[in-house]
Amino acid sequence: MTEPTATQNSAERPDPAAPPPDLRAFVGWRLVLILFYGAVALVFVGVVASIVVDIVKNKSLIPPPRTLARYECSGAAAPFALLYLHGTERVKISSASGVLEGTLHNNQFDWGSFGKDASQLGFVPPTGISFEDTQALSLQMPGAGDTRCTRAAAPAKLPA
């Protein structure tokens, strides 16, 4: 058997300064995983931050409704429109004589100080509401019985 020469010895022995090939592959995958998890964390932080900003802006977890449904009513004095959205307390009545805003609690209207005043709308505003379906409702009008209202096609914009 012959003894290996110096050139054979250097070819067989790896350079002590160079990392082993397995370590280079391990560092490469580690870098890919770090970048991937970093990107996922950035997206997560962005989503959570936008949710927190919306909560602070809306002062609630639920965003406020933007549009009210418009119901056309044929009243005793003149036709009028009721602007209302199911699930909210805000309600508006608009007639040729004016506009009246109020709230709805347990299917009863609260018009504030205009509850029995006919000068704002040209008629006394309704006192209660009953829902027939999603397209129609009935208003209890004092002294005039019930008034049926049907939903109009275009929603009404809610003022900011």
Side-chain angles (χ1 to χ4, degrees):
M1 190 171 249
T2 62
E3 195 136 331
T5 62
T7 56
Q8 288 176 341
N9 280 341
S10 65
E12 292 174 6
R13 283 184 293 175
D15 184 15
D22 293 339
L23 184 61
R24 274 190 237 144
F26 175 71
V27 169
W29 277 107
R30 192 173 187 192
L31 181 63
V32 167
L33 286 175
I34 288 171
L35 290 174
F36 173 74
Y37 288 132
V40 168
L42 254 156
V43 169
F44 179 77
V45 168
V47 168
V48 169
S50 72
I51 291 171
V52 169
V53 166
D54 285 344
I55 289 171
V56 169
K57 185 174 76 173
N58 296 332
K59 299 178 185 154
S60 171
L61 287 172
I62 302 170
R66 296 285 181 223
T67 58
L68 298 175
R70 181 181 182 94
Y71 291 88
E72 298 294 333
C73 308
S74 55
F80 62 94
L82 175 76
L83 307 175
Y84 171 71
L85 182 63
H86 292 278
T88 64
E89 295 181 350
R90 292 184 67 185
V91 67
K92 245 188 212 186
I93 288 185
S94 176
S95 71
S97 301
V99 175
L100 183 62
E101 292 188 39
T103 57
L104 183 66
H105 300 284
N106 298 325
N107 294 340
Q108 297 297 313
F109 291 107
D110 180 11
W111 301 111
S113 61
F114 296 101
K116 305 266 190 255
D117 186 12
S119 64
Q120 184 80 14
L121 296 172
F123 57 90
V124 177
T127 56
I129 189 171
S130 59
F131 302 98
E132 296 174 14
D133 56 33
T134 59
Q135 300 299 316
L137 51 87
S138 182
L139 301 175
Q140 287 84 41
M141 305 293 282
D146 288 355
T147 299
R148 189 168 192 277
C149 302
T150 56
R151 189 169 186 161
K157 294 287 183 196
L158 183 66

